[in-house]
Amino acid sequence: MTPDYQTILDEIRDEVQPLLAQGQVADYIPRLACVPWQKFGMAVVTLDGQLYRTGDADEAFSIQSISKVYTLTLALQSIGDKLWRRVGREPSGNAFNSLVQLELEHGLPRNPFINAGALVVADVVLGAMPDPRAQLLATVRRWADNPGVQDDPEVARSEQANGFRNAALANFIRSFGNLEQAIDEVLGFYFYQCSLAMSCEDLARGFLFLANRGYCRWTGDRILSPDQAKRINALMLTCGTYDAAGDFAYHVGIPAKSGVGGGIVAVIPERLAVAVWSPALNAKGNSLAGSAALERFTTKTGLSIF
Ligand code: GLU
């Protein structure tokens, strides 16, 4: 029986209201610090293209690390499994921007969703595309079926001006020979991808291909092979929610990717994609109310991958 998604989303929106104020809005990128913590949106898109939504689901926010799934997809499209010579596939158990592990592991980032891994992925994308920013934006617009998706230059500038740790990571990786493009280019592209602004509706549409064996429902394109889509879902489950991925899998039970803008997008293969946004984060950097909302979603619908 198909769950009553609309009723479930509206119930969740009401239930999480007391949680919205409990987290902390990210402030290490100054531009993110002014986003109102009261916001909450959630959207579901099912395999047949039906959209269900509640709250601020149509409001664009900074997707931040969620963009790492898109650049990973582009890197796999361009160099396939060769990517894994330069990036690992293990959960890190460390903060997303940690330098320590990188030293111990000689510049080979643990996975594509920690910052070090995302910088290597950005390097691959830069090497594969003549105009990577324009191509990334055009691609995300197609996959999300929304030509109105924009980047936010203010967010990118704000991060660039404060991105000392990412600059350190990039230089460090370069010292091990695992970056090929100019460091400023890699960082500039990375900050650009993080500055994409999308709504929950955009993200639910834009991640449906991962629930749909790599096929884009909106364009009819095969974005990835079924095998590659399966593997990205596995990486999201094990590495997609910072060093809380084990706890997240335990409570929520589906592949997901979060960002410090307060968004989380998750996938139930063969069924749907679901996105949630609430800006205040828990101590691990995942949206506090967003995580609770997804836990309620899998409980109320009875859907999970387990
Ligand atoms: N642009 C952010 C950073 O590198 C991404 C953080 C995130 O969403 O995890 O610090």
Side-chain angles (χ1 to χ4, degrees), residues 23-34:
Q24 197 73 42
V25 177
D27 56 6
Y28 77 104
I29 301 172
R31 174 78 182 189
L32 294 183
C34 39

Side-chain angles (χ1 to χ4, degrees), residues 141-185:
R141 286 174 171 171
R142 277 202 313 280
W143 294 348
D145 196 31
N146 179 3
V149 171
Q150 300 287 350
D151 55 283
D152 183 337
E154 269 305 304
V155 169
R157 260 196 296 278
S158 185
E159 190 169 1
Q160 183 105 43
N162 294 278
F164 306 111
R165 186 168 276 265
N166 284 317
L169 283 169
N171 280 284
F172 209 36
I173 300 168
R174 180 54 167 267
S175 76
F176 288 103
N178 198 10
L179 280 190
E180 290 169 3
Q181 310 298 320
I183 287 178
D184 284 351
E185 295 286 317

